[in-house]
């Protein structure tokens, strides 16, 4: 139960963090700090890989094991497929 909460937080936050980092990378690039820009881009790549792995393995309904939506992931409490509370532990 706690694990899924943590996964939800990661799935909700990672795209926003990636966007923020992308903006930072652009700024670094534009002001000529290309080495810093590449480091930030590398961090984005790592975040996206973690995000994909989470979405494919952990961000699933504990009842019917369907993939859960990634859009507005932070607000989801019910599985759209079986309509059960995803934080409810009893099957
Ligand atoms: Zn379900």
């Amino acid at each position: 139960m706690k694990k899924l909460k943590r996964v939800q937080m990661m799935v909700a936050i990672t795209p926003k963090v990636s966007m923020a980092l992308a903006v930072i990378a652009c700024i670094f690039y534009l002001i000529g700090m290309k080495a810093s820009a590449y480091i930030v881009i590398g961090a984005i790549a790592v975040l996206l890989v973690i995000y994909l792995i989470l979405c494919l393995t952990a961000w699933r309904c504990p009842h019917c094991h369907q993939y859960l939506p990634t859009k507005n992931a932070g607000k989801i409490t019910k599985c759209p497929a079986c309509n059960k509370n995803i934080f409810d532990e009893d099957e």
Side-chain angles (χ1 to χ4, degrees):
M1 179 182 164
K2 273 181 182 168
K3 189 174 165 250
L4 194 63
K5 264 277 183 208
R6 231 179 304 145
V7 172
Q8 179 181 41
M9 205 181 71
M10 288 289 291
V11 171
I13 284 173
T14 307
K16 288 171 188 157
V17 174
S18 302
M19 285 298 288
L21 286 176
V23 171
I24 292 168
C26 286
I27 293 168
F28 275 145
Y29 196 84
L30 288 173
I31 62 174
M33 293 171 69
K34 289 188 180 171
S36 302
Y38 293 139
I39 292 167
V40 177
I41 290 167
I44 296 169
V46 171
L47 274 178
L48 290 180
V49 168
I50 294 169
Y51 178 74
L52 273 178
I53 292 169
L54 274 180
C55 287
L56 291 174
T57 60
W59 189 228
R60 284 168 172 244
C61 172
H63 308 288
C64 66
H65 302 287
Q66 287 291 314
Y67 292 117
L68 291 167
T70 51
K71 210 180 170 193
N72 293 323
K75 290 176 188 131
I76 289 164
T77 53
K78 274 182 180 175
C79 168
C82 66
N83 223 21
K84 283 181 185 167
N85 189 330
I86 55 170
F87 301 114
D88 212 352
E89 270 182 304
D90 40 300
E91 297 268 308

